[in-house]
Amino acid sequence: MFDHNRSVKRACDILFAGIGLLVLFPVLMIIAVLLFGSGFHNPLFLQKRVGFEGRIFVIFKFRTIRDRTCRPLSPRGLRFAETLSSILRITGLDELPQFINVLRGDMSLVGPRPHSLADHHRFAKHIPDYTARLAIKPGMTGWAQIQGWRGPVCSDDHLQARIACDLEYIRRQTPLFDCAILIRTVALPFRTLTRYRPQRQPQRALKPCLGRDRRLV
């Protein structure tokens, strides 16, 4: 990307991430309170991820996976907690704290999704041009996610499709393309919720692995 386009992209990241934090601050607080009430002592989940040119950074997400540190709940409370966590993951609302990563310069609004250290090393062994996706900053959302390739990688085909979308985005990236991805991302939670069903019912409209109860990446 030319230096001018990179500067424009960074300026847009700062502007829209700042606006996003201000406008969505009440939503962030409500989610944090609900998670705390659901037994999570710390609603935020921090994890090291691989970013631009292989640099390591700490990503911010809402915590939606229960572990031994969570407070015990009644059966009714546990059902509510599980439903809340599933909705946050499926809609991608658990990613909202990454506006902070964007403002810090770790991430961009649009770009390839950053992977954990373990996944990064594992994927790099399977896909020869995998590291080419590190040529730009990772994003809160990306072309691969819009195409449905979200969630854990459950097959080589899934991984190759995701990486192909990431590399296609790097080739095609323009401010207008970024805007189109962001608009579709904003609509994604509403579209996903309309298709949401309990896990006993298959979600045929989603890509492989999206019907599982797990943290989206």
Side-chain angles (χ1 to χ4, degrees):
M1 180 186 298
F2 295 109
D3 290 339
H4 173 72
N5 287 342
R6 186 179 293 113
S7 298
V8 171
K9 186 178 179 71
R10 179 58 185 156
C12 290
D13 285 342
I14 294 174
L15 175 63
F16 290 113
I19 293 175
L21 276 178
L22 289 176
V23 172
L24 296 175
F25 183 77
V27 176
L28 292 169
M29 290 298 98
I30 291 172
I31 293 175
V33 170
L34 289 175
L35 287 174
F36 184 80
S38 298
F40 293 100
H41 289 286
N42 183 1
L44 280 182
F45 172 76
L46 280 63
Q47 185 184 51
K48 290 183 178 179
R49 297 286 178 100
V50 180
F52 177 56
E53 296 182 339
R55 299 171 190 169
I56 309 301
F57 70 97
V58 176
I59 198 171
F60 298 92
K61 300 181 67 169
F62 280 122
R63 188 181 296 274
T64 58
I65 303 298
R66 301 187 64 81
D67 56 27
R68 66 184 65 182
T69 66
C70 294
R71 298 190 305 276
L73 299 173
S74 66
R76 182 177 180 180
L78 186 58
R79 286 194 298 272
F80 172 80
E82 291 175 346
T83 300
L84 173 64
S85 295
S86 294
I87 291 175
L88 292 178
R89 290 192 298 270
I90 289 172
T91 60
L93 293 176
D94 61 333
E95 312 287 354
L96 291 180
Q98 288 161 39
F99 280 128
I100 299 173
N101 288 114
V102 174
L103 290 177
R104 291 176 54 177
D106 300 324
M107 298 175 61
S108 179
L109 291 174
V110 182
R113 285 293 297 162
H115 294 146
S116 67
L117 298 180
D119 284 345
H120 171 78
H121 294 303
R122 180 163 57 94
F123 297 163
K125 294 179 181 178
H126 286 79
I127 306 295
D129 54 353
Y130 170 81
T131 55
R133 67 197 299 277
L134 303 179
I136 63 174
K137 288 182 181 180
M140 289 183 63
T141 185
W143 185 235
Q145 286 63 50
I146 292 302
Q147 295 301 309
W149 298 113
R150 302 163 64 208
V153 173
C154 51
S155 69
D156 287 342
D157 289 341
H158 185 158
L159 175 59
Q160 291 174 0
R162 176 183 292 178
I163 303 306
C165 286
D166 289 339
L167 298 182
E168 180 184 355
Y169 168 75
I170 292 174
R171 291 191 301 269
R172 294 177 54 188
Q173 60 178 318
T174 63
L176 286 178
F177 192 31
D178 282 2
C179 287
I181 292 174
L182 288 173
I183 291 173
R184 293 179 64 177
T185 298
V186 171
L188 188 60
F190 304 100
R191 294 170 51 199
T192 305
L193 279 176
T194 60
R195 297 198 299 260
Y196 179 74
R197 297 291 184 275
Q199 286 186 315
R200 63 178 179 271
Q201 298 180 14
Q203 298 181 7
R204 294 189 177 87
L206 303 181
K207 297 286 188 181
C209 299
L210 280 184
R212 299 183 183 181
D213 184 18
R214 77 291 179 265
R215 184 173 63 252
L216 296 176
V217 300

PDB file of all heavy atoms in Angstrom, residues 7-22:
ATOM      1  N   SER A   7      -1.560   6.276   5.349  1.00  0.00           N
ATOM      2  CA  SER A   7      -1.867   7.386   6.255  1.00  0.00           C
ATOM      3  C   SER A   7      -3.367   7.635   6.338  1.00  0.00           C
ATOM      4  O   SER A   7      -3.914   7.898   7.421  1.00  0.00           O
ATOM      5  CB  SER A   7      -1.152   8.661   5.781  1.00  0.00           C
ATOM      6  OG  SER A   7       0.247   8.500   5.800  1.00  0.00           O
ATOM      7  N   VAL A   8      -4.040   7.543   5.193  1.00  0.00           N
ATOM      8  CA  VAL A   8      -5.495   7.718   5.169  1.00  0.00           C
ATOM      9  C   VAL A   8      -6.172   6.618   5.981  1.00  0.00           C
ATOM     10  O   VAL A   8      -7.091   6.878   6.767  1.00  0.00           O
ATOM     11  CB  VAL A   8      -6.019   7.723   3.723  1.00  0.00           C
ATOM     12  CG1 VAL A   8      -7.547   7.676   3.702  1.00  0.00           C
ATOM     13  CG2 VAL A   8      -5.526   8.957   2.976  1.00  0.00           C
ATOM     14  N   LYS A   9      -5.700   5.399   5.809  1.00  0.00           N
ATOM     15  CA  LYS A   9      -6.279   4.271   6.542  1.00  0.00           C
ATOM     16  C   LYS A   9      -6.106   4.453   8.045  1.00  0.00           C
ATOM     17  O   LYS A   9      -7.030   4.229   8.824  1.00  0.00           O
ATOM     18  CB  LYS A   9      -5.620   2.965   6.092  1.00  0.00           C
ATOM     19  CG  LYS A   9      -6.247   1.693   6.672  1.00  0.00           C
ATOM     20  CD  LYS A   9      -5.540   0.475   6.119  1.00  0.00           C
ATOM     21  CE  LYS A   9      -6.102  -0.823   6.671  1.00  0.00           C
ATOM     22  NZ  LYS A   9      -7.456  -1.114   6.137  1.00  0.00           N
ATOM     23  N   ARG A  10      -4.929   4.889   8.459  1.00  0.00           N
ATOM     24  CA  ARG A  10      -4.675   5.090   9.888  1.00  0.00           C
ATOM     25  C   ARG A  10      -5.541   6.215  10.445  1.00  0.00           C
ATOM     26  O   ARG A  10      -6.089   6.096  11.548  1.00  0.00           O
ATOM     27  CB  ARG A  10      -3.186   5.405  10.112  1.00  0.00           C
ATOM     28  CG  ARG A  10      -2.810   5.661  11.568  1.00  0.00           C
ATOM     29  CD  ARG A  10      -3.164   4.479  12.439  1.00  0.00           C
ATOM     30  NE  ARG A  10      -2.922   4.740  13.854  1.00  0.00           N
ATOM     31  CZ  ARG A  10      -3.524   4.112  14.842  1.00  0.00           C
ATOM     32  NH1 ARG A  10      -4.427   3.166  14.588  1.00  0.00           N
ATOM     33  NH2 ARG A  10      -3.242   4.392  16.092  1.00  0.00           N
ATOM     34  N   ALA A  11      -5.676   7.295   9.684  1.00  0.00           N
ATOM     35  CA  ALA A  11      -6.518   8.405  10.130  1.00  0.00           C
ATOM     36  C   ALA A  11      -7.965   7.952  10.295  1.00  0.00           C
ATOM     37  O   ALA A  11      -8.637   8.314  11.278  1.00  0.00           O
ATOM     38  CB  ALA A  11      -6.425   9.561   9.138  1.00  0.00           C
ATOM     39  N   CYS A  12      -8.454   7.167   9.347  1.00  0.00           N
ATOM     40  CA  CYS A  12      -9.826   6.641   9.427  1.00  0.00           C
ATOM     41  C   CYS A  12      -9.967   5.698  10.613  1.00  0.00           C
ATOM     42  O   CYS A  12     -11.002   5.701  11.302  1.00  0.00           O
ATOM     43  CB  CYS A  12     -10.187   5.933   8.130  1.00  0.00           C
ATOM     44  SG  CYS A  12     -10.396   7.039   6.715  1.00  0.00           S
ATOM     45  N   ASP A  13      -8.938   4.886  10.860  1.00  0.00           N
ATOM     46  CA  ASP A  13      -8.977   3.979  12.007  1.00  0.00           C
ATOM     47  C   ASP A  13      -9.143   4.753  13.305  1.00  0.00           C
ATOM     48  O   ASP A  13      -9.981   4.409  14.152  1.00  0.00           O
ATOM     49  CB  ASP A  13      -7.689   3.137  12.073  1.00  0.00           C
ATOM     50  CG  ASP A  13      -7.649   2.036  11.029  1.00  0.00           C
ATOM     51  OD1 ASP A  13      -8.720   1.689  10.494  1.00  0.00           O
ATOM     52  OD2 ASP A  13      -6.553   1.515  10.762  1.00  0.00           O
ATOM     53  N   ILE A  14      -8.333   5.783  13.477  1.00  0.00           N
ATOM     54  CA  ILE A  14      -8.389   6.576  14.708  1.00  0.00           C
ATOM     55  C   ILE A  14      -9.739   7.266  14.844  1.00  0.00           C
ATOM     56  O   ILE A  14     -10.364   7.253  15.925  1.00  0.00           O
ATOM     57  CB  ILE A  14      -7.252   7.612  14.727  1.00  0.00           C
ATOM     58  CG1 ILE A  14      -5.884   6.910  14.805  1.00  0.00           C
ATOM     59  CG2 ILE A  14      -7.417   8.570  15.905  1.00  0.00           C
ATOM     60  CD1 ILE A  14      -4.705   7.852  14.678  1.00  0.00           C
ATOM     61  N   LEU A  15     -10.221   7.859  13.757  1.00  0.00           N
ATOM     62  CA  LEU A  15     -11.483   8.583  13.784  1.00  0.00           C
ATOM     63  C   LEU A  15     -12.648   7.670  14.142  1.00  0.00           C
ATOM     64  O   LEU A  15     -13.405   7.929  15.090  1.00  0.00           O
ATOM     65  CB  LEU A  15     -11.728   9.253  12.433  1.00  0.00           C
ATOM     66  CG  LEU A  15     -13.080   9.953  12.256  1.00  0.00           C
ATOM     67  CD1 LEU A  15     -13.215  11.101  13.251  1.00  0.00           C
ATOM     68  CD2 LEU A  15     -13.241  10.453  10.821  1.00  0.00           C
ATOM     69  N   PHE A  16     -12.789   6.575  13.385  1.00  0.00           N
ATOM     70  CA  PHE A  16     -13.964   5.718  13.572  1.00  0.00           C
ATOM     71  C   PHE A  16     -13.860   4.858  14.825  1.00  0.00           C
ATOM     72  O   PHE A  16     -14.890   4.541  15.451  1.00  0.00           O
ATOM     73  CB  PHE A  16     -14.179   4.855  12.329  1.00  0.00           C
ATOM     74  CG  PHE A  16     -14.635   5.643  11.130  1.00  0.00           C
ATOM     75  CD1 PHE A  16     -13.821   5.787  10.023  1.00  0.00           C
ATOM     76  CD2 PHE A  16     -15.872   6.255  11.122  1.00  0.00           C
ATOM     77  CE1 PHE A  16     -14.229   6.523   8.920  1.00  0.00           C
ATOM     78  CE2 PHE A  16     -16.301   6.996  10.028  1.00  0.00           C
ATOM     79  CZ  PHE A  16     -15.466   7.134   8.923  1.00  0.00           C
ATOM     80  N   ALA A  17     -12.636   4.460  15.222  1.00  0.00           N
ATOM     81  CA  ALA A  17     -12.492   3.716  16.474  1.00  0.00           C
ATOM     82  C   ALA A  17     -12.831   4.610  17.655  1.00  0.00           C
ATOM     83  O   ALA A  17     -13.483   4.174  18.620  1.00  0.00           O
ATOM     84  CB  ALA A  17     -11.067   3.173  16.603  1.00  0.00           C
ATOM     85  N   GLY A  18     -12.408   5.881  17.586  1.00  0.00           N
ATOM     86  CA  GLY A  18     -12.746   6.824  18.651  1.00  0.00           C
ATOM     87  C   GLY A  18     -14.240   7.056  18.739  1.00  0.00           C
ATOM     88  O   GLY A  18     -14.823   7.046  19.833  1.00  0.00           O
ATOM     89  N   ILE A  19     -14.882   7.263  17.587  1.00  0.00           N
ATOM     90  CA  ILE A  19     -16.338   7.452  17.561  1.00  0.00           C
ATOM     91  C   ILE A  19     -17.037   6.190  18.060  1.00  0.00           C
ATOM     92  O   ILE A  19     -18.003   6.263  18.831  1.00  0.00           O
ATOM     93  CB  ILE A  19     -16.807   7.804  16.138  1.00  0.00           C
ATOM     94  CG1 ILE A  19     -16.276   9.183  15.734  1.00  0.00           C
ATOM     95  CG2 ILE A  19     -18.338   7.769  16.050  1.00  0.00           C
ATOM     96  CD1 ILE A  19     -16.583   9.556  14.295  1.00  0.00           C
ATOM     97  N   GLY A  20     -16.520   5.034  17.624  1.00  0.00           N
ATOM     98  CA  GLY A  20     -17.119   3.769  18.042  1.00  0.00           C
ATOM     99  C   GLY A  20     -17.088   3.582  19.542  1.00  0.00           C
ATOM    100  O   GLY A  20     -18.084   3.163  20.153  1.00  0.00           O
ATOM    101  N   LEU A  21     -15.953   3.910  20.162  1.00  0.00           N
ATOM    102  CA  LEU A  21     -15.852   3.780  21.615  1.00  0.00           C
ATOM    103  C   LEU A  21     -16.817   4.727  22.333  1.00  0.00           C
ATOM    104  O   LEU A  21     -17.461   4.355  23.318  1.00  0.00           O
ATOM    105  CB  LEU A  21     -14.416   4.048  22.064  1.00  0.00           C
ATOM    106  CG  LEU A  21     -13.433   2.876  22.000  1.00  0.00           C
ATOM    107  CD1 LEU A  21     -12.046   3.319  22.422  1.00  0.00           C
ATOM    108  CD2 LEU A  21     -13.915   1.723  22.882  1.00  0.00           C
ATOM    109  N   LEU A  22     -16.922   5.954  21.830  1.00  0.00           N
ATOM    110  CA  LEU A  22     -17.809   6.931  22.464  1.00  0.00           C
ATOM    111  C   LEU A  22     -19.278   6.518  22.324  1.00  0.00           C
ATOM    112  O   LEU A  22     -20.042   6.530  23.295  1.00  0.00           O
ATOM    113  CB  LEU A  22     -17.586   8.312  21.851  1.00  0.00           C
ATOM    114  CG  LEU A  22     -16.264   9.009  22.207  1.00  0.00           C
ATOM    115  CD1 LEU A  22     -16.136  10.326  21.436  1.00  0.00           C
ATOM    116  CD2 LEU A  22     -16.189   9.281  23.719  1.00  0.00           C
TER     117      LEU A  22
END
